[in-house]
Amino acid sequence: MAVSNSLTISPRKLRSDLYSYSYQNNSETPLVISVLSSLIDRTLTRNERINRRALPSSGAGGKTQIFDCREIPDMTIQSYLERIFRYTKAGPSVYVVAYVYIDRFCQTNPGFRISLTNVHRLLITTIMIASKYVEDLNYRNSYFAKVGGLETEDLNKLELEFLFLMGFKLHVNVSVFESYCCHLEREVSIGGGYQIEKALRCAEEIKSKQMIVQDPKHHHHHQFAQILL
């Protein structure tokens, strides 16, 4: 199938977006969201294959099970990240730092695997923490909770548990940030392009079928009820 040129994301375009993003009220969704969405989707697919082959293990997960929800949320990773951006306007650097935190979290907790039942909670938690680390001004936890479809108390618990499980290792220096930016660029250049374009097309199809409600106060209880425990 032919792909529209407007959906093409190059490494150079991604880098430009990461380092020269314009913080305006009407700014378009940063390209890093599509790249990160593609990468996470591929991680989910790989982990599903691993889980199917792995033998059941009692007690697996431990404290990281706090990120699990009872039912799989009815929202794609792309749509969820776009929603977070729409209501928080967190810049591209926030998503890169959140990606760093997710990677560190998985390395620090080797028994944890990103799955459809925990990825949404993990994303809203890491993006909120990354926003506090990167941005000068931030929304309250209660606002992030509404955007992410959680109760404030639940998000507070997720944040605290995440920090302890990470050993409060939140510092991201320039070289680390740059290395993760390069990794995201490679995601575009070696095989990631098709996945990103596919995610974008999927998002457009979803948008054409749904009414997007602009106020999270009136919308989150309906669309994100499945994320709640």
Side-chain angles (χ1 to χ4, degrees):
M1 180 189 302
V3 179
S4 170
N5 291 333
S6 63
L7 298 181
T8 301
I9 299 176
S10 67
R12 181 178 295 180
K13 187 182 293 186
L14 173 63
R15 174 167 285 268
S16 174
D17 197 55
L18 285 170
Y19 288 96
S20 59
Y21 180 79
S22 177
Y23 289 86
Q24 299 175 356
N25 290 332
N26 60 348
S27 294
E28 295 182 356
T29 304
L31 298 178
V32 67
I33 286 181
S34 295
V35 181
L36 185 58
S37 170
S38 171
L39 191 149
I40 291 175
D41 281 336
R42 289 163 66 181
T43 300
L44 287 169
T45 301
R46 183 178 65 250
N47 287 346
E48 285 176 7
R49 288 199 300 266
I50 293 173
N51 289 335
R52 284 197 296 267
R53 292 196 299 264
L55 294 174
S57 174
S58 58
K63 291 184 177 181
T64 60
Q65 288 181 341
I66 191 173
F67 290 96
D68 291 338
C69 50
R70 286 186 299 183
E71 297 182 24
I72 297 174
D74 187 20
M75 177 168 276
T76 65
I77 303 302
Q78 175 85 19
S79 298
Y80 193 63
L81 289 175
E82 286 181 349
R83 176 183 170 84
I84 294 173
F85 170 75
R86 188 183 310 124
Y87 292 120
T88 67
K89 295 301 180 187
S93 57
V94 170
Y95 297 93
V96 176
V97 173
Y99 173 41
V100 175
Y101 290 165
I102 291 172
D103 193 38
R104 284 182 184 174
F105 185 77
C106 292
Q107 293 181 36
T108 306
N109 302 274
F112 176 82
R113 287 197 188 102
I114 297 176
S115 69
L116 290 173
T117 57
N118 61 36
V119 65
H120 294 80
R121 286 178 164 225
L122 184 64
L123 282 171
I124 190 63
T125 303
T126 53
I127 290 171
M128 181 181 73
I129 295 173
S131 178
K132 292 179 180 181
Y133 182 83
V134 173
E135 307 279 16
D136 293 326
L137 298 175
N138 283 282
Y139 290 105
R140 296 173 183 268
N141 282 24
S142 57
Y143 184 80
F144 272 98
K146 289 175 181 176
V147 171
L150 297 168
E151 296 293 343
T152 303
E153 182 181 357
D154 290 334
L155 186 56
N156 289 342
K157 289 179 180 177
L158 291 173
E159 179 185 28
L160 189 61
E161 195 63 48
F162 182 87
L163 293 173
F164 275 102
L165 289 169
M166 282 275 286
F168 290 85
K169 296 178 180 178
L170 302 179
H171 179 59
V172 178
N173 60 34
V174 175
S175 62
V176 171
F177 181 87
E178 177 73 15
S179 68
Y180 277 83
C181 287
C182 290
H183 182 76
L184 290 170
E185 289 173 23
R186 287 196 298 273
E187 172 70 10
V188 177
S189 61
I190 52 174
Y194 168 74
Q195 296 291 339
I196 294 163
E197 291 162 354
K198 183 179 178 182
L200 285 168
R201 289 200 303 272
C202 214
E204 290 302 320
E205 290 174 3
I206 291 171
K207 286 178 182 178
S208 67
K209 296 177 182 177
Q210 294 179 343
M211 290 292 293
I212 299 176
V213 180
Q214 296 298 321
D215 187 355
K217 293 181 180 179
H218 295 95
H219 191 45
H220 81 285
H221 285 297
H222 171 68
Q223 192 163 11
F224 295 97
Q226 295 183 70
I227 301 180
L228 302 175
L229 285 175

